[in-house]
Amino acid sequence: MYNPKSLKAVEFIDHQEVLETLAYAEKNKSNAELIDSIIEKARLKKGLSHREAAVLLECDIEEKNREMFALANQIKNDFYGNRIVMFAPLYLSNYCVNGCVYCPYHVKNKHIARKKLTQEDIIREVTALQDMGHKRLAIESGEDPVNNPIEYILESINTIYSIKHKNGAIRRVNVNIAATTVENYKKLKDAGIGTYILFQETYHKKSYEKLHPTGPKHDYAYHTEAMDRAMEGGIDDVGLGVLFGLELYRYEFAGLLMHAEHLEAVFGVGPHTISVPRIKHADDIDPDVFDNGIDDNIFAKIVACIRISVPYTGMIISTRESKACRERIISLGVSQISGGSRTSVGGYYEPEPEDEISEQFDVSDKRTLDEVVRWLMELKYVPSFCTACYREGRTGDRFMSFCKSGQILNFCHPNALMTLKEYLEDYASSDTKIIGENLIDAEINSIPSERIKGITVKNLDSIKNGKRDFR
Ligand code: SAM
């Protein structure tokens, strides 16, 4: 029985409610009057229910679909502007005791090279990431209580934050590790993590159990209720996601929004981010075996519908997607992207030898960070290395009300420009630098407050003269 306030996964992702939602959406996919009313509601920028959102996703009236895409773009601009936050994944260990059938880290894979970074390796890897210009990382690890216990993850986070680099420290570490206990989430919170990210993979319980046949991840309830435990442990920025391709996308879309509704209903704050990974080829994984793959058009529509259904939630797109796909999707609502990524354990400092491949999946966008930064700026986006909200304790509902108050142009925009300026001074190639300087000159004018504009100009000048990390 659907109850968004319930703490039981089977009630807040109630299967029957998902099926009824999909039937309702199918019945109303050409209902212009209803679709118009939902689009009008979406224009208020306060979000949509999962049922309303499902109707938009299913809508087959081309003109209305165009309106939705335009609205998604407008909402993205209103809340997130033209800034795109940059990050990179850091794989700590691919030891894993789970049997996930889509992931090459599964326990039965005997030929993938198993690796785990030592603290010395971490220093080398992170320094290589800092040498590229990264300030924000997402750490990734397989689930293995013996090889990757929570103590190892905590020690690694501590190591990352304490690495001194000539251009400044890593400023935010997000964490994507397996579902764990409230006690462990408290420890992660105390270690100063940014967002806790955990992909649901699929919300469909029966499929979930088949796709995760063995290991602790087999437990649907434990996995689906992880964000509740994370919130209970004091982590108020949590990142949701499903792995598109495993189950029917309509089901996943409804589940994702029900999960967001649940967090909002119970904790008063929805997810900080939603990721939209699609399944990729990997060591012993052929994505075509999973017959629920989605094409780029459906993918774009999913992103647009998420954007207008949960306007305050950031959206992340990784290098699983190609340059062309990212170019199309970003304008529909994405606020964070990775760049220059490696999905192997180690590999930033030194490329892996061919007989020791440990990567999790094939990366489609193989460009360097500098190329990604330049490309974004050519498209008139402002790549941002800013982590100010997190460092000033603006997380959870405080971030949401900041976002809703429309103060982003006065605060996030100057911060984005200043961190971009740091990047240009410390890392950019000469072409990138020229484009960036011109972009910054133009973008300063979009800061509404004259006072803040003045401070920003002064700070940009100080950065040129060697000062870093304004707070
Ligand atoms: N072990 C943690 C867990 O259980 O959630 C961390 C997961 S893993 C390092 C990060 C994510 O990669 C997974 O949640 C999954 O969605 C995704 N992934 C796994 N195999 C993939 C594949 N073949 N293609 C694309 N993404 C994949």
Side-chain angles (χ1 to χ4, degrees):
M1 181 57 184
Y2 179 54
N3 173 9
K5 282 205 161 164
S6 167
L7 295 177
K8 290 193 193 135
V10 287
E11 288 178 5
F12 65 78
I13 312 286
D14 175 51
H15 179 64
Q16 197 51 39
E17 171 60 18
V18 180
L19 296 184
E20 283 172 26
T21 297
L22 302 192
Y24 176 73
E26 168 65 24
K27 193 174 125 213
N28 287 296
K29 66 182 180 193
S30 315
N31 182 341
E33 204 180 318
L34 177 67
I35 290 164
D36 271 339
S37 71
I38 299 174
I39 294 179
E40 278 322 300
K41 182 175 172 193
R43 284 190 204 288
L44 301 176
K45 297 186 273 192
K46 293 198 167 23
L48 297 174
S49 71
H50 63 274
R51 280 210 178 199
E52 292 162 338
V55 173
L56 295 193
L57 185 67
E58 207 50 28
C59 166
D60 65 1
I61 308 171
E62 266 328 295
E63 186 199 335
K64 304 288 162 214
N65 286 336
R66 278 196 295 276
E67 271 180 54
M68 274 179 237
F69 279 78
L71 180 58
N73 178 254
Q74 188 195 325
I75 291 178
K76 176 194 151 40
N77 286 334
D78 290 350
F79 288 117
Y80 288 91
N82 58 347
R83 290 171 307 284
I84 301 290
V85 168
M86 305 301 305
F87 76 98
L90 173 66
Y91 281 74
L92 295 181
S93 165
N94 65 358
Y95 284 91
C96 194
V97 295
N98 287 312
C100 317
V101 303
Y102 50 84
C103 177
Y105 291 175
H106 66 85
V107 69
K108 285 197 185 146
N109 188 349
K110 298 296 177 207
H111 55 87
I112 194 169
R114 296 287 170 180
K115 296 185 189 173
K116 170 184 167 180
L117 300 181
T118 63
Q119 299 307 304
E120 289 68 37
D121 294 335
I122 291 175
I123 294 173
R124 272 197 297 271
E125 286 290 285
V126 173
T127 305
L129 282 157
Q130 290 175 306
D131 287 343
M132 281 187 214
H134 278 295
K135 305 281 186 230
R136 179 191 287 246
L137 303 182
I139 57 172
E140 313 271 340
S141 169
E143 177 168 17
D144 184 329
V146 174
N147 286 298
N148 325 322
I150 192 71
E151 291 71 25
Y152 167 69
I153 304 290
L154 296 170
E155 188 187 3
S156 304
I157 295 168
N158 190 33
T159 299
I160 296 170
Y161 278 133
S162 55
I163 295 169
K164 305 252 183 302
H165 187 272
K166 61 182 189 324
N167 300 328
I170 289 294
R171 299 173 185 168
R172 177 172 176 135
V173 178
N174 295 335
V175 173
N176 182 4
I177 61 163
T180 185
T181 59
V182 175
E183 202 176 276
N184 286 345
Y185 286 123
K186 281 189 184 144
K187 291 179 184 165
L188 287 168
K189 168 79 184 169
D190 292 343
I193 69 162
T195 311
Y196 172 64
I197 300 164
L198 181 70
F199 299 159
Q200 177 62 29
E201 321 300 6
T202 174
Y203 283 98
H204 190 290
K205 185 168 184 281
K206 269 206 182 131
S207 300
Y208 180 95
E209 287 167 349
K210 265 199 219 145
L211 292 159
H212 305 95
T214 56
K217 196 163 169 175
H218 177 72
D219 186 337
Y220 177 83
Y222 191 72
H223 189 81
T224 314
E225 292 159 12
M227 294 314 192
D228 299 67
R229 294 193 299 282
M231 291 253 184
E232 213 185 315
I235 298 174
D236 50 6
D237 280 353
V238 298
L240 305 182
V242 290
L243 187 53
F244 284 103
L246 298 179
E247 241 302 335
L248 292 173
Y249 71 87
R250 298 174 176 92
Y251 196 102
E252 306 298 21
F253 177 79
L256 199 50
L257 291 182
M258 287 162 86
H259 201 171
E261 278 166 19
H262 163 70
L263 295 174
E264 181 92 47
V266 177
F267 301 99
V269 47
H272 186 65
T273 54
I274 290 182
S275 299
V276 286
R278 285 195 283 187
I279 190 156
K280 297 279 305 173
H281 173 268
D283 176 59
D284 68 343
I285 308 293
D286 172 6
D288 294 337
V289 167
F290 305 92
D291 14 284
N292 294 309
I294 48 173
D295 67 25
D296 288 356
N297 292 334
I298 294 291
F299 189 52
K301 195 165 181 197
I302 290 171
V303 170
C305 287
I306 292 176
R307 178 67 302 135
I308 61 186
S309 306
V310 280
Y312 313 121
T313 298
M315 233 191 292
I316 301 179
I317 190 160
S318 75
T319 53
R320 287 177 183 86
E321 301 301 336
S322 66
K323 172 181 178 242
C325 176
R326 301 217 292 176
E327 193 155 323
R328 176 170 180 204
I329 298 299
I330 287 174
S331 68
L332 298 173
V334 170
S335 51
Q336 283 187 39
I337 70 168
S338 46
S341 305
R342 305 268 152 78
T343 63
S344 48
V345 181
Y348 285 113
Y349 174 70
E350 205 170 33
E352 287 193 307
E354 277 196 8
D355 56 345
E356 267 188 39
I357 298 299
S358 69
E359 68 183 12
Q360 196 189 19
F361 51 81
D362 293 353
V363 162
S364 295
D365 188 341
K366 293 187 170 40
R367 292 173 295 166
T368 63
L369 181 61
D370 190 71
E371 286 167 333
V372 174
V373 165
R374 185 164 66 237
W375 160 74
L376 285 173
M377 296 191 304
E378 282 165 353
L379 297 170
K380 303 289 175 231
Y381 292 109
V382 176
S384 171
F385 294 86
C386 180
T387 57
C389 281
Y390 151 75
R391 289 160 108 203
E392 282 163 29
R394 226 167 15 241
T395 58
D397 55 353
R398 290 173 300 286
F399 172 78
M400 295 293 169
S401 44
F402 178 74
C403 196
K404 289 174 197 175
S405 71
Q407 278 305 312
I408 275 190
L409 268 184
N410 267 328
F411 289 94
C412 299
H413 209 59
N415 284 332
L417 296 181
M418 290 190 291
T419 57
L420 174 60
K421 176 76 175 167
E422 289 181 348
Y423 177 84
L424 298 179
E425 291 295 322
D426 295 336
Y427 304 101
S429 62
S430 51
D431 283 1
T432 304
K433 194 165 177 183
I434 294 168
I435 297 170
E437 297 291 359
N438 290 335
L439 183 75
I440 291 175
D441 285 348
E443 289 289 333
I444 284 178
N445 294 320
S446 53
I447 301 171
S449 153
E450 284 303 320
R451 189 179 68 82
I452 295 176
K453 199 186 287 182
I455 297 172
T456 309
V457 170
K458 229 172 103 199
N459 288 351
L460 287 168
D461 208 44
S462 303
I463 292 169
K464 195 172 170 193
N465 294 321
K467 187 155 173 8
R468 295 288 175 272
D469 202 7
F470 280 92
R471 300 184 73 164

PDB file of all heavy atoms in Angstrom, residues 23 35 65 90 93 152 167 256 313 348 457:
ATOM      1  N   ALA A  23      -0.119   2.675 -15.871  1.00  0.00           N
ATOM      2  CA  ALA A  23      -1.388   2.518 -16.597  1.00  0.00           C
ATOM      3  C   ALA A  23      -2.050   3.892 -16.779  1.00  0.00           C
ATOM      4  O   ALA A  23      -2.573   4.213 -17.857  1.00  0.00           O
ATOM      5  CB  ALA A  23      -2.306   1.573 -15.824  1.00  0.00           C
ATOM      6  N   ILE A  35      -2.334  17.093 -19.973  1.00  0.00           N
ATOM      7  CA  ILE A  35      -0.897  17.375 -20.159  1.00  0.00           C
ATOM      8  C   ILE A  35      -0.633  18.872 -20.025  1.00  0.00           C
ATOM      9  O   ILE A  35       0.317  19.293 -19.354  1.00  0.00           O
ATOM     10  CB  ILE A  35      -0.418  16.799 -21.512  1.00  0.00           C
ATOM     11  CG1 ILE A  35      -0.419  15.266 -21.415  1.00  0.00           C
ATOM     12  CG2 ILE A  35       0.975  17.319 -21.883  1.00  0.00           C
ATOM     13  CD1 ILE A  35      -0.344  14.540 -22.715  1.00  0.00           C
ATOM     14  N   ASN A  65       5.678  17.856 -26.137  1.00  0.00           N
ATOM     15  CA  ASN A  65       7.039  17.404 -25.796  1.00  0.00           C
ATOM     16  C   ASN A  65       8.040  18.535 -25.979  1.00  0.00           C
ATOM     17  O   ASN A  65       8.930  18.726 -25.157  1.00  0.00           O
ATOM     18  CB  ASN A  65       7.437  16.200 -26.658  1.00  0.00           C
ATOM     19  CG  ASN A  65       6.724  14.933 -26.198  1.00  0.00           C
ATOM     20  OD1 ASN A  65       6.317  14.835 -25.037  1.00  0.00           O
ATOM     21  ND2 ASN A  65       6.567  13.976 -27.087  1.00  0.00           N
ATOM     22  N   LEU A  90      37.088   8.489  -8.245  1.00  0.00           N
ATOM     23  CA  LEU A  90      38.350   7.855  -7.831  1.00  0.00           C
ATOM     24  C   LEU A  90      38.007   6.458  -7.317  1.00  0.00           C
ATOM     25  O   LEU A  90      37.357   6.311  -6.272  1.00  0.00           O
ATOM     26  CB  LEU A  90      39.037   8.672  -6.724  1.00  0.00           C
ATOM     27  CG  LEU A  90      40.273   7.994  -6.117  1.00  0.00           C
ATOM     28  CD1 LEU A  90      41.398   7.862  -7.144  1.00  0.00           C
ATOM     29  CD2 LEU A  90      40.785   8.757  -4.893  1.00  0.00           C
ATOM     30  N   SER A  93      38.921   0.564  -4.718  1.00  0.00           N
ATOM     31  CA  SER A  93      39.120  -0.892  -4.687  1.00  0.00           C
ATOM     32  C   SER A  93      38.033  -1.559  -5.514  1.00  0.00           C
ATOM     33  O   SER A  93      36.869  -1.136  -5.485  1.00  0.00           O
ATOM     34  CB  SER A  93      39.020  -1.382  -3.236  1.00  0.00           C
ATOM     35  OG  SER A  93      38.865  -2.783  -3.213  1.00  0.00           O
ATOM     36  N   TYR A 152      38.832   1.389   6.213  1.00  0.00           N
ATOM     37  CA  TYR A 152      39.666   1.680   5.038  1.00  0.00           C
ATOM     38  C   TYR A 152      39.116   2.897   4.294  1.00  0.00           C
ATOM     39  O   TYR A 152      39.862   3.795   3.878  1.00  0.00           O
ATOM     40  CB  TYR A 152      39.701   0.454   4.118  1.00  0.00           C
ATOM     41  CG  TYR A 152      40.272   0.728   2.747  1.00  0.00           C
ATOM     42  CD1 TYR A 152      41.627   1.012   2.573  1.00  0.00           C
ATOM     43  CD2 TYR A 152      39.441   0.724   1.614  1.00  0.00           C
ATOM     44  CE1 TYR A 152      42.152   1.288   1.306  1.00  0.00           C
ATOM     45  CE2 TYR A 152      39.954   0.995   0.346  1.00  0.00           C
ATOM     46  CZ  TYR A 152      41.307   1.274   0.208  1.00  0.00           C
ATOM     47  OH  TYR A 152      41.812   1.557  -1.046  1.00  0.00           O
ATOM     48  N   ASN A 167      48.471  23.901  -5.568  1.00  0.00           N
ATOM     49  CA  ASN A 167      47.309  24.709  -5.956  1.00  0.00           C
ATOM     50  C   ASN A 167      46.102  24.509  -5.039  1.00  0.00           C
ATOM     51  O   ASN A 167      44.980  24.855  -5.408  1.00  0.00           O
ATOM     52  CB  ASN A 167      46.908  24.389  -7.393  1.00  0.00           C
ATOM     53  CG  ASN A 167      48.018  24.676  -8.361  1.00  0.00           C
ATOM     54  OD1 ASN A 167      48.809  25.581  -8.142  1.00  0.00           O
ATOM     55  ND2 ASN A 167      48.105  23.908  -9.426  1.00  0.00           N
ATOM     56  N   LEU A 256      12.076   6.271  -9.043  1.00  0.00           N
ATOM     57  CA  LEU A 256      13.019   7.334  -8.677  1.00  0.00           C
ATOM     58  C   LEU A 256      12.264   8.520  -8.054  1.00  0.00           C
ATOM     59  O   LEU A 256      12.659   9.055  -7.009  1.00  0.00           O
ATOM     60  CB  LEU A 256      13.732   7.766  -9.961  1.00  0.00           C
ATOM     61  CG  LEU A 256      15.028   8.522  -9.951  1.00  0.00           C
ATOM     62  CD1 LEU A 256      16.059   7.866  -9.059  1.00  0.00           C
ATOM     63  CD2 LEU A 256      15.574   8.615 -11.386  1.00  0.00           C
ATOM     64  N   THR A 313      16.814  19.577  -7.467  1.00  0.00           N
ATOM     65  CA  THR A 313      17.778  18.480  -7.358  1.00  0.00           C
ATOM     66  C   THR A 313      18.809  18.580  -8.483  1.00  0.00           C
ATOM     67  O   THR A 313      18.430  18.686  -9.652  1.00  0.00           O
ATOM     68  CB  THR A 313      17.020  17.132  -7.440  1.00  0.00           C
ATOM     69  OG1 THR A 313      16.121  17.065  -6.339  1.00  0.00           O
ATOM     70  CG2 THR A 313      17.952  15.952  -7.396  1.00  0.00           C
ATOM     71  N   TYR A 348      45.203   7.041 -12.868  1.00  0.00           N
ATOM     72  CA  TYR A 348      45.387   8.478 -13.076  1.00  0.00           C
ATOM     73  C   TYR A 348      46.889   8.795 -13.073  1.00  0.00           C
ATOM     74  O   TYR A 348      47.369   9.565 -13.878  1.00  0.00           O
ATOM     75  CB  TYR A 348      44.696   9.302 -11.984  1.00  0.00           C
ATOM     76  CG  TYR A 348      43.196   9.368 -12.123  1.00  0.00           C
ATOM     77  CD1 TYR A 348      42.354   8.764 -11.183  1.00  0.00           C
ATOM     78  CD2 TYR A 348      42.601  10.050 -13.188  1.00  0.00           C
ATOM     79  CE1 TYR A 348      40.979   8.831 -11.303  1.00  0.00           C
ATOM     80  CE2 TYR A 348      41.221  10.119 -13.317  1.00  0.00           C
ATOM     81  CZ  TYR A 348      40.412   9.509 -12.372  1.00  0.00           C
ATOM     82  OH  TYR A 348      39.047   9.582 -12.497  1.00  0.00           O
ATOM     83  N   VAL A 457      35.275  41.207  -8.954  1.00  0.00           N
ATOM     84  CA  VAL A 457      36.334  41.744  -9.830  1.00  0.00           C
ATOM     85  C   VAL A 457      37.650  41.840  -9.045  1.00  0.00           C
ATOM     86  O   VAL A 457      38.728  41.457  -9.527  1.00  0.00           O
ATOM     87  CB  VAL A 457      35.914  43.129 -10.394  1.00  0.00           C
ATOM     88  CG1 VAL A 457      37.079  43.810 -11.106  1.00  0.00           C
ATOM     89  CG2 VAL A 457      34.733  42.965 -11.343  1.00  0.00           C
TER      90      VAL A 457
END
